[in-house]
Amino acid sequence: MKHSVCLLLGIYMMSASAESPIAIALHGGAGTIEREAMSAELEATYLGFLDHAITAGYEQLRRGESGLDVVVNVIQLMEDSPLFNAGHGAVYTWEGTHELDASIMHGAELEAGAVAGVSTVKSPIALARAVMERSPHVMLAGRGAEAFALEQSFEVMSPAYFATERRRKALEAFKANEQAGLQPEADHKFGTVGVVVMDATGNLVAGTSTGGMTGKRWGRIGDSPIIGAGTYADNRSCAVSATGHGEYFIRHTVARDICARIQFGGADLRAATEQVVKGELLDAGGEGGVIAVDKTGETVLIFNTSGMYRASINARGQKTVAIYGDE
Amino acid sequence: MKHSVCLLLGIYMMSASAESPIAIALHGGAGTIEREAMSAELEATYLGFLDHAITAGYEQLRRGESGLDVVVNVIQLMEDSPLFNAGHGAVYTWEGTHELDASIMHGAELEAGAVAGVSTVKSPIALARAVMERSPHVMLAGRGAEAFALEQSFEVMSPAYFATERRRKALEAFKANEQAGLQPEADHKFGTVGVVVMDATGNLVAGTSTGGMTGKRWGRIGDSPIIGAGTYADNRSCAVSATGHGEYFIRHTVARDICARIQFGGADLRAATEQVVKGELLDAGGEGGVIAVDKTGETVLIFNTSGMYRASINARGQKTVAIYGDE
């Protein structure tokens, strides 16, 4: 019973076969996610949520809503849920605060927006979109980004909104490990969330939102708000959102690298993502994964960890909802 | 007389012909730089400085010093000079402060470090190197980055150190333009500095340092501290440092894109940089330029603006020192 719902694969009911092809994929983080450590209830909760989120996004796409709207709305579902390390439920910094990062990119004109280190904004992905659409800049950080949010009439949240007992305990464990001289990295789960879509007009859009890494210090910025690292979209190749040990994803410009292998090297989406996630990154020791969609509506969900919360519906209507690596 | 020193091209004296090939290139920013608006004295000052800096870096490489040391030392020469928009002489933010960005990357293992929005650090490029070598992170921002600098015993500078009359006037002009409803961008010079080298061991290293754009707001982060946008180095392809309208350079992941065109597309350095700077960027309206060195020690200095402060000595000992686009 516990394992039987891990993989749902089937042909999604489509109301009209003549519709433009659409596709969507999402992740809720990759990392050390193992059956043995997961209760049946929690597993069912994750799978139910992933199924709900991917279905909601797909229905939006079917109604012809823009890729930008769908990426933001589905990421907001995950930001608002305590299950994921983004928005409510984000991990704690070393100082016991929350510093949230997000980015979004549209593949038609390569427009992009990103925020890093914001502490009072309920939906960092919505703020990233506002940076793209309503500022002359691509990336805003810290208190400056919050001043921009205020000017744009974003609601100011108190620190209590982001607080969860589960993440507070993770910080305590991180600090205890570090004080004991242990490698705290071993306990890292990368609960970043991300969505990629091909909408009915053929536009590719990618977005990513995260609380970063438990116990991060010194205003650390990971890959999620870095265009080219955690997020990239280009209608000529693909859209990618990444999750994992961000430092490696920055150094390998993972999202852009996958698109570049398609654009310049002639690789297909499967080969490009495998070369990066199971080749370059694995060789370097960079744990994590990506979701990606190409201009044909093909989707790939790939990771080099034991699991990744993930779901997709590709252009042929094939649906996947899964957690572990052997599914 | 005024124009006769603009281009110095010759075979650099080499003390031993059997030495390992080395190469270096630097820029001090691209933008609207025109002969008509430049005094003979200022032109000579720039050319003299560029010649001094490229020679100093080349001599270091000849002595077998590491690419990292050379990139940091030559960038520090420019950070310390009021001629360039980095360190002392950086442009002002909208609020009349200085927020400095820098990044560095080593092409052997793709190690990288970056800082964004620091206000008290004399040499942002040195801090970026410290992030790479002495933290588990790649990118630190704002007050957190300054806390890290303090832990690493970096000297704390007062705001007065970064202040220059020339840049204060540029902010006043920017604000006056904006209040008059004019496009302030027209006056932008992109005085970012950067250095790329191939050292005697064949390693490629790139670094970039900047004060950003005059009148920037909301904690804006440009391309200079973004690995893949303003800076990239990979021994398999090339090392790049960019200068220009940063938002475009982020969206086009300019530095990584050039290396990817070599690595995956089989382009040579000249073709790859031209496709990006005079193709993609120009088509999109993204003004600026790049310096680059490939694994053979070939150097390219290229821009789509009227000028770029630049210098290089390639693996064949050919030296260039120049400012304008017709040189």
Side-chain angles (χ1 to χ4, degrees):
Chain A
M1 178 67 180
K2 184 176 170 187
H3 297 165
S4 61
V5 289
C6 296
L7 179 61
L8 309 172
L9 182 63
I11 304 300
Y12 198 86
M13 295 293 294
M14 295 181 73
S15 62
S17 59
E19 283 175 356
S20 302
I22 53 174
I24 182 169
L26 67 83
H27 68 76
T32 309
I33 307 170
E34 287 165 351
R35 280 199 181 82
E36 297 66 30
M38 178 88 78
S39 74
E41 292 73 18
L42 188 56
E43 187 178 271
T45 300
Y46 269 110
L47 289 170
F49 190 97
L50 295 170
D51 197 5
H52 163 68
I54 202 74
T55 304
Y58 191 75
E59 289 299 328
Q60 279 191 274
L61 290 172
R62 279 181 65 194
R63 290 194 297 269
E65 295 186 33
S66 78
L68 277 178
D69 284 344
V70 176
V71 165
V72 169
N73 290 350
V74 176
I75 287 181
Q76 285 180 324
L77 289 176
M78 293 189 280
E79 286 179 335
D80 293 349
S81 163
L83 290 173
F84 305 102
N85 172 22
H88 174 61
V91 300
Y92 285 80
T93 68
W94 182 261
E95 291 79 16
T97 62
H98 297 89
E99 294 183 357
L100 310 174
D101 304 331
S103 65
I104 192 164
M105 186 162 189
H106 191 287
E109 302 290 337
L110 307 185
E111 291 183 306
V115 294
V118 296
S119 297
T120 64
V121 176
K122 184 180 182 186
S123 173
I125 193 68
L127 185 58
R129 181 180 183 170
V131 171
M132 176 174 77
E133 295 183 331
R134 292 183 253 154
S135 92
H137 299 313
V138 167
M139 186 172 190
L140 305 181
R143 287 177 301 176
E146 286 170 355
F148 175 76
L150 268 182
E151 287 187 28
Q152 296 291 324
S153 305
F154 276 71
E155 186 183 2
V156 176
M157 310 303 288
S158 78
Y161 170 74
F162 301 100
T164 53
E165 186 63 12
R166 173 187 175 203
R167 301 299 190 187
R168 199 184 54 72
K169 284 183 177 166
L171 176 63
E172 287 170 6
F174 179 90
K175 289 190 165 186
N177 264 353
E178 182 153 304
Q179 278 156 7
L182 301 173
Q183 278 290 341
E185 273 71 24
D187 191 42
H188 276 174
K189 315 261 191 322
F190 308 108
T192 297
V193 307
V195 176
V196 297
V197 305
M198 182 177 75
D199 70 17
T201 65
N203 283 318
L204 304 181
V205 182
T208 310
S209 182
T210 191
M213 297 175 89
T214 295
K216 66 183 179 181
R217 271 172 269 201
W218 307 307
R220 177 258 190 185
I221 295 178
D223 63 315
S224 299
I226 307 289
I227 298 301
T231 302
Y232 206 76
D234 186 334
N235 282 1
R236 295 170 293 186
S237 51
C238 64
V240 179
S241 170
T243 170
H245 194 148
E247 279 68 16
Y248 291 90
F249 284 64
I250 295 174
R251 291 163 49 201
H252 291 265
T253 55
V254 165
R256 175 59 183 141
D257 194 69
I258 289 168
C259 295
R261 285 169 190 265
I262 295 171
Q263 185 180 352
F264 306 129
D268 65 18
L269 187 68
R270 170 67 60 183
T273 53
E274 283 188 349
Q275 286 161 12
V276 173
V277 175
K278 300 201 167 178
E280 293 255 334
L281 277 174
L282 198 61
D283 292 347
E287 296 186 333
V290 305
I291 55 169
V293 59
D294 69 13
K295 59 188 176 182
T296 72
E298 191 59 73
T299 56
V300 168
L301 320 165
I302 189 171
F303 48 101
N304 60 32
T305 53
S306 57
M308 179 168 82
Y309 302 108
R310 62 198 188 275
S312 65
I313 303 176
N314 68 15
R316 299 186 301 284
Q318 293 173 313
K319 178 174 167 182
T320 302
V321 179
I323 297 177
Y324 309 109
D326 54 7
E327 299 178 272
Chain B
M1 180 66 180
K2 184 177 171 186
H3 298 164
S4 61
V5 289
C6 296
L7 178 61
L8 309 173
L9 181 64
I11 304 301
Y12 198 87
M13 294 295 293
M14 296 180 73
S15 61
S17 59
E19 283 175 356
S20 303
I22 53 174
I24 181 169
L26 66 83
H27 68 77
T32 310
I33 308 169
E34 287 165 352
R35 280 198 180 82
E36 297 66 30
M38 177 89 77
S39 73
E41 292 73 18
L42 188 57
E43 186 179 273
T45 300
Y46 270 110
L47 289 169
F49 190 97
L50 296 169
D51 197 3
H52 164 67
I54 202 73
T55 305
Y58 190 74
E59 288 300 327
Q60 279 191 275
L61 290 171
R62 279 180 65 194
R63 289 194 296 269
E65 296 186 32
S66 78
L68 278 178
D69 283 344
V70 176
V71 166
V72 169
N73 289 350
V74 176
I75 286 181
Q76 285 180 324
L77 288 176
M78 293 189 280
E79 285 179 335
D80 294 349
S81 163
L83 291 172
F84 306 101
N85 172 22
H88 174 62
V91 300
Y92 286 80
T93 68
W94 182 261
E95 291 81 13
T97 61
H98 297 89
E99 294 183 356
L100 312 173
D101 304 330
S103 64
I104 192 164
M105 186 162 188
H106 191 287
E109 302 290 336
L110 307 184
E111 291 182 307
V115 294
V118 296
S119 298
T120 64
V121 176
K122 185 180 182 187
S123 173
I125 193 67
L127 185 58
R129 180 180 183 171
V131 171
M132 175 174 76
E133 295 183 330
R134 292 182 253 155
S135 91
H137 300 314
V138 167
M139 186 171 189
L140 305 181
R143 286 177 301 177
E146 287 171 354
F148 175 75
L150 268 182
E151 287 186 27
Q152 296 291 325
S153 305
F154 276 72
E155 187 183 1
V156 176
M157 310 303 288
S158 79
Y161 171 74
F162 301 101
T164 53
E165 187 62 14
R166 173 187 175 203
R167 302 298 190 187
R168 200 184 54 71
K169 285 182 176 165
L171 176 63
E172 287 170 7
F174 180 90
K175 288 190 166 186
N177 264 354
E178 184 153 302
Q179 279 156 7
L182 300 173
Q183 277 292 341
E185 273 72 22
D187 191 42
H188 276 175
K189 315 263 191 320
F190 309 107
T192 297
V193 307
V195 176
V196 296
V197 305
M198 181 178 75
D199 71 17
T201 65
N203 282 318
L204 303 182
V205 182
T208 309
S209 181
T210 191
M213 297 175 88
T214 294
K216 67 183 179 181
R217 270 172 270 200
W218 307 307
R220 178 258 189 185
I221 295 178
D223 63 316
S224 299
I226 306 289
I227 298 301
T231 302
Y232 206 76
D234 186 334
N235 282 1
R236 294 170 293 185
S237 51
C238 64
V240 179
S241 170
T243 170
H245 194 148
E247 279 69 16
Y248 292 89
F249 284 64
I250 295 174
R251 291 164 49 203
H252 291 264
T253 55
V254 164
R256 175 60 185 141
D257 195 69
I258 290 168
C259 295
R261 284 168 191 266
I262 296 171
Q263 185 179 353
F264 306 130
D268 66 17
L269 186 69
R270 170 67 59 182
T273 53
E274 284 188 349
Q275 287 162 12
V276 173
V277 175
K278 301 201 167 178
E280 294 254 334
L281 277 175
L282 198 60
D283 293 346
E287 295 186 334
V290 306
I291 54 169
V293 59
D294 70 12
K295 59 188 176 182
T296 71
E298 191 58 74
T299 56
V300 168
L301 320 165
I302 189 170
F303 48 100
N304 59 31
T305 54
S306 57
M308 179 168 81
Y309 302 108
R310 62 198 189 276
S312 65
I313 304 175
N314 67 15
R316 299 186 300 284
Q318 293 173 314
K319 178 175 167 181
T320 301
V321 179
I323 298 177
Y324 309 109
D326 54 7
E327 299 178 271

